[in-house]
Amino acid sequence: MEDLRKDRPVDLVAALARARSAEPPGPDTPAGGAVRAWPGPPRPLPPAGPAGLDLGALLRYSLSAADDSGRLRPVSSAGALHPVDAELHVGPGCSLPPGHYGYDPLRHRVHRLGRQPEGTPPGVTAELSVTARRTVSHYGHRAWPLLLLDTGHAAAALFLAARALGTDAPEVRLDGLAESPLAAVHVPPPGGRGGPAHQEGGRGRAHPDGGARVPDPPGGPATPAELLARRSTPPPLPGTPSQDALLAVLTAAERAVAGAPRKVLATTARPGDGDLRWCAAVGPPRPALMALSADGTTLRRHAAGEARPTLAAWAAGQAWIADAGAVLLAHGCPAEADAAHIRRAHLRAGFAVHLAHVTALRHGLAARPVGSWQQADLGAALGAAPGRDWIVHGLALGARHADEENTT
């Protein structure tokens, strides 16, 4: 606990084991500042020229707060605590001069931290790290999985914002190899390439693997209006999603992390570990865990039976989950996973759930990410060996009916 509160390196394997236990967190502690105290004066984000990348719009659609409290942001965060910090490495073709900047999401301003070396690729690389104290202040020893999930959500928000601005596919680093930054997203100027995977002059530490090219969610790139309107729906979330909507949400989650480079997985995964897997718990008339078919075109029954009350108990006792229309689940990350595997699984789960969330909203569903899971050994509950297949992240779903829409 002391290490987390002071943002020192932690034993992530031990931290995850403790977070997965039934041990309740202690009382709240001070959260500290809502943003990192960047040095130097704040600078506004100017508009971009005709062919430039508009960093102001990119950050407004992804990380910027909508009010002074910092709670209303397009990106999801456990407890609305927003622990993710962004450093921007700006090359040619952007609305800011090339340089190294820290971003203040409350004031929508940047602080210049230094120069960029010659050969920095066009566009911007956003490096994401965390101030652990913000999340630890409320969740205590359960914080580290949430910090990693929040970082994955932030990376997805940057990806979606870049695509909404018409850029080429951003390069996303979610390999889990680095403690800091935990993730990075390289966004080229509109119509341009030249990220770290394509130029020798790119900063290797931002993209040691060349990044993963991620497909857009079903239906194509999100629009700015969609990104500004997305919010987590407060419970309850009743109403079973249609088969078509559930298929789209599962497809979005599976596709979001399918492009991770195999060489990255090989550096940390042990034989038999596998990647994240996905299913969705649905209720009557045929309660079951549903998953995508082998060809990804239909749903298949992964396991029969009602899982939602058990999920409610596992999800920090959030009773409303038992009545949610469906619950999307990312599962994997065995108990013996090393730190890099843990980081990778949780970063990718947060990223995928964010894209699935946008897909759910497109299909008229209510949706709310669920990140805190205790004793959630899904594999053991289904009769497999214990400790091999844990729930990593979730997205509760509900159908919005016309009469409910008319009362809001």
Side-chain angles (χ1 to χ4, degrees), residues 115-143:
R115 301 177 61 183
Q116 282 296 88
E118 185 177 352
T120 295
V124 63
T125 298
E127 292 186 341
L128 304 177
S129 57
V130 295
T131 298
R133 178 179 177 178
R134 295 179 205 148
T135 302
V136 173
S137 68
H138 181 64
Y139 291 97
H141 67 274
R142 295 177 178 174

Side-chain angles (χ1 to χ4, degrees), residues 241-267:
S242 69
Q243 292 285 294
D244 287 345
L246 198 57
L247 176 63
V249 171
L250 274 163
T251 299
E254 292 253 11
R255 287 177 51 189
V257 296
R262 298 304 305 176
K263 65 179 181 180
V264 175
L265 302 181
T267 60

Side-chain angles (χ1 to χ4, degrees), residues 84-183:
V84 181
D85 303 315
E87 294 186 41
L88 309 176
H89 298 274
V90 178
C94 294
S95 54
L96 278 172
H100 176 201
Y101 300 85
Y103 177 58
D104 180 343
L106 297 188
R107 299 166 185 82
H108 193 49
R109 294 288 188 268
V110 294
H111 295 250
R112 186 175 175 88
L113 305 178
R115 301 177 61 183
Q116 282 296 88
E118 185 177 352
T120 295
V124 63
T125 298
E127 292 186 341
L128 304 177
S129 57
V130 295
T131 298
R133 178 179 177 178
R134 295 179 205 148
T135 302
V136 173
S137 68
H138 181 64
Y139 291 97
H141 67 274
R142 295 177 178 174
W144 260 105
L146 302 174
L147 290 161
L148 294 169
L149 294 173
D150 275 10
T151 305
H153 277 275
L158 285 162
F159 168 84
L160 291 170
R163 296 295 292 135
L165 293 174
T167 73
D168 189 19
E171 292 178 358
V172 183
R173 198 211 77 193
L174 302 171
D175 52 58
L177 298 179
E179 292 183 7
S180 184
L182 288 167

Side-chain angles (χ1 to χ4, degrees), residues 5-61:
R5 190 177 299 125
K6 293 185 178 180
D7 295 324
R8 295 172 180 168
V10 298
D11 180 343
L12 191 54
V13 175
L16 179 61
R18 189 178 177 197
R20 285 172 167 173
S21 75
E23 179 187 352
D28 284 2
T29 59
V35 297
R36 185 181 293 184
W38 303 110
R43 302 183 179 206
L45 289 149
L53 175 61
D54 189 339
L55 295 181
L58 177 76
L59 295 165
R60 186 167 62 251
Y61 299 152

Side-chain angles (χ1 to χ4, degrees), residues 10 26 51 69 74 137 140 143 160 179 231 233 248 289 340 353 382 395 406:
V10 298
S69 75
S137 68
L160 291 170
E179 292 183 7
R231 289 288 181 268
T233 308
L289 293 177
V353 164
L382 296 178
L395 182 69
N406 292 335

Side-chain angles (χ1 to χ4, degrees), residues 277-281 287-291 300-308 310-311 314 329 331-332 375-391:
R277 293 170 294 280
W278 299 87
C279 64
L289 293 177
M290 306 299 294
R300 63 175 178 84
R301 181 169 293 196
H302 178 61
E306 176 63 90
R308 294 172 302 163
T310 300
L311 296 178
W314 284 348
L329 299 171
H331 53 104
Q375 300 180 297
D377 190 340
L378 182 64
L382 296 178
R388 302 292 302 160
D389 196 18
W390 295 81
I391 295 177

